[in-house]
Amino acid sequence: MQAKAKIQVKTNQVSKDRINPYIFGHFVEDIRDHMDAMLAYPLSDMDFESMDVTYRGLSGRWRPYTNGKSTIYDLEPAAAHHSGHSQRVRIYSDDEAYAGMSQAIAVKQDPDGYYLALYARASVEIQFVAAEIVDRKSGEVLGSTRIDLVSHNWKHYESRLTVSRSCEHAEFRIYVPSEHERWLDHVSTGMLWFDHISLLPSDSVGHVRKEVLDMTKDLNAGMMRLAGNYISAYHWRQAIGPVYERPSVINEAWGGWTNKYFGTDEFIGFCRELNVEPLICVNDGSGTPEEAAEWVEYCNGDVDTPMGKLRAANGHAEPYGVKYWEIGNEVWGAWQVGHCSAEQFAERYMQFAQSMKAVDPGIKLLACGDDKMDWNKTLLERAAAHIDYLTLHLYHGTNRFGMNALTPKEERYKAILSYPEWTRETVRQLREMFGSSARYAHLKLAITEYNTMYYPNTIRKGLPNEHTLEAAAANAANLNEFIRNSDLIEIGSFSDLVNGWLGGCIRVGDFYADQFRGKSSGRSENSLSVYGTPTYYVMKMYANRDLGYVVETRTDCGSFKVSSTVSAPQLDDLPNLDVVACTNVRGDKVTIFIVNRSLEDTITEVQLEGFTESGTAQLLELAADDYECINSAQNPDAVVCEAHELSVMKSQVTCQLRASSVYVLEITRE
C-alpha cells in the first residue's frame, strides 16, 4: 500500500510580500580546497611561497627534473616587490645534462593552448628554457614550447602550451635541455631563477574554471557572498593590483596560504559574469573601521577619491556599486578572530557602520546575529538604528539531537529532515523580538550560511554524507521555510559553492577536505571531473522558477516524530510532506515546492482552487532508490533532476512522489 496525501493550493490567498531572489544565493570562502578547486590553475606554489619540506631547496609541490648529478636547488629572496621566494636552479656544464623542475598536474585538452606565464632571470649564457606537459605514465609529450631568455634581469615571459588530449597523470616541466650549448664552468655561470610560474587553460574566465562558471550560471544565484572565518583576518589591500606583487599571506583561519589570485576585483568580475549581486563581509576581527571604509570606497568611490583612483589604476575606472556589506562573521564563536561579547560587538559594529556609511550612505549593512537570542537582544538594544539586516548561520546536524553513529539510521534520517522546524523556531523568536519595539520594525533577516552537517563524518572518514539525497531533501525543506518567511528573510547563502568544508554544491574532482588539517592527500583518477551534488540540483530547481508571492496551502498527509535527548523544537507531529506554493507576479503561474520527507512513496492529489480547470503541468523530480545515494567523480549523475509532464483535470494534478525526494510542480494558466 502506498501512502496518500492531498495538497490544497488556495491561489486567491496571496501574501503581500515579494519573494526576494537573493534567498537563493551562494557563498565563496578561502577555506581548504575551495579556491584551489574553483580556480583554473593546475599548478601549486606558483610563487614559490612554500618551504622545501619534501626536497631540499625546492618549494612545496615542485620536484627536481634533471639527470645531472651536480644540479643544486635553492630558495632565495623574491624579486623586488614580489612575494614568496625565488627558486634558483644551479646547473653545472660538466654534467652535460638537462636540469629544471617539474610538478604533477592534471590537464584537459586545449588546442588553443594553456597560457604560460613566468617571471625569470638567468646568467647570460643560458639562452632559453623548454616548457612541456607530458603524460607521466607513457612519456608522451602533450604540448611543448620554448621561451627565449633575453635578459640577465628579472623579466616577465609568456607563451602558449597546446595540449593534445586530457590527462589525469600529467607533469609540467620547465628546464634547460641537454642540447643547450654548454658554457665555461666557473662561478657566475649556469644559474637560472624563477619567481613565478603559472598555467591557465584558454577557456578560463577571470581565473575561474569554465566548468565551474557555467554550472554556477545555471544556479541563477541572485547574490554571491564573499566571507567566512578567514575574512576576520583578511586585509583586502593584500589581494588587489598586479598578482605578482600581491603578498603571500598565511590563512589564519584555516591554515595554508590565502589565495591571492581571487581578490576584490576578481570577485566582482565573477559576480558580473554571473549577473548576481555581490555581498562582501569586512574584516572586523583584526581590521579597523577605517580599513572597511576604504574597502567601500575602493568598490564604490569615484575616480577622484583616493581609493577610487587606486581601483582605476588597477584597471577598473567605473565604480562597482557594491550595495550589501556584512560586518562580523560568527563573532560570537571562540574560533573567530576578534571573538568578543555581544556588548563589545555592538560598540564595534556601530563604529564600522558609521565609518562605512560616511563613505557611501546608500549601502545596506548586515550585522552578525546568532541563533542564541541573548546575543541578538543585546545587539539590537544598542545598535538597531544602524542595522538593515540581522544575519544567522543555520547549520543542521544530528549532533544537536544528542545522536551519534550508534543511533539507528532511520532516526538520524528523521532528525536531519526536521531542518525547517529548527529554522522556523529561530525565525519565530526573532519575529517576536523584532515586534517588541518600533525601533526594530525596519529589520530583515539574512541567512548568510546554511547547510546540513553530519557527525562524526565531518572530517571525511568514510562517505561524504553531506552530499546525499537525504541532505538535498533537508536543504530543500529548509528553503521552503525561507520562502514561507519571505516577508522577513530576504537573503540566503548556501555554504559552500565549490568543495570547501561541508560540501560545496559544486564538486571538482574527488578531493575531500579535512576539517582540521587542510587538504587530504586522497584522490582518484577523476580530478578533472566537475559535477553537482544532489543539493546543487535542488538549488537549481528552486532558483530558476518564476516566483512572485507565497500563496496559502493546506496539506493532509502522514506524519513522523523525532526523538531527541536534548532541548529541541516541538518535533512530535511533523508532516511527511513539506510544502510551499507561490504565484508569479502576473498571477498566471503557480509553483509548488514539495519535499517528501517520509521513507514511503506517496500518491498526492494537488488541488488548484480557482486557478485552472485543465491543462498541462510540469513536474521536476529529484529522487533516487536510496536516500544515501550520492553523486561522485566516478558516478556524477546518480542523482539528477528529471522533468515530467502531467495532466491537469478538474483543477487537480495527481503526483507520484517517491520516498525522500524533492519536487517542483508548475502549472501555467492558458
Side-chain angles (χ1 to χ4, degrees), residues 22 25-29 223-234 236 267 277-285 287-289 291-293 295-296 299-300 322-332 336-337 345 348-354 356-357 360 362-370 375-376 379 386-395 444-450 491-495:
Y22 296 165
H26 287 264
F27 167 41
V28 295
E29 177 181 4
M223 178 174 276
M224 189 65 64
R225 174 180 183 249
L226 180 71
N229 282 356
Y230 91 105
I231 213 79
S232 294
Y234 175 81
W236 65 272
F267 173 66
E277 189 78 18
L279 164 61
I280 294 177
C281 184
V282 301
N283 174 2
D284 79 316
T288 64
E291 181 183 28
W295 201 355
V296 174
C299 290
N300 298 352
V322 178
K323 184 177 181 180
Y324 294 88
W325 296 82
E326 187 174 356
I327 301 172
N329 181 86
E330 298 181 359
V331 188
W332 33 262
Q336 192 72 41
V337 174
F345 176 67
R348 183 195 301 171
Y349 174 87
M350 287 189 289
Q351 293 173 19
F352 273 74
Q354 289 164 355
M356 294 165 71
K357 285 218 169 184
D360 185 349
I363 61 176
K364 296 290 186 181
L365 294 180
L366 290 69
C368 174
D370 191 10
W375 173 279
N376 300 328
L379 174 61
H386 302 273
I387 299 171
D388 296 299
Y389 292 84
L390 188 71
T391 71
L392 294 174
H393 290 180
L394 300 178
Y395 291 108
K444 299 293 184 181
L445 283 178
I447 316 299
T448 53
E449 292 183 32
Y450 69 94
I491 293 172
S493 304
F494 179 79
S495 175

Side-chain angles (χ1 to χ4, degrees), residues 397-403 422 562-569 571:
T398 54
N399 60 308
R400 73 192 326 176
F401 298 87
M403 295 178 178
W422 290 79
V562 179
S563 302
S564 177
T565 60
V566 296
S567 177
L571 303 175

Side-chain angles (χ1 to χ4, degrees), residues 225 248 275 292 307 360 390 407 410 412 423 473 495 548 551 559 639:
R225 174 180 183 249
S248 298
N275 193 29
M307 293 300 105
D360 185 349
L390 188 71
T407 306
E410 187 170 322
R412 282 182 282 154
T423 297
S495 175
V551 298
S559 63
V639 186

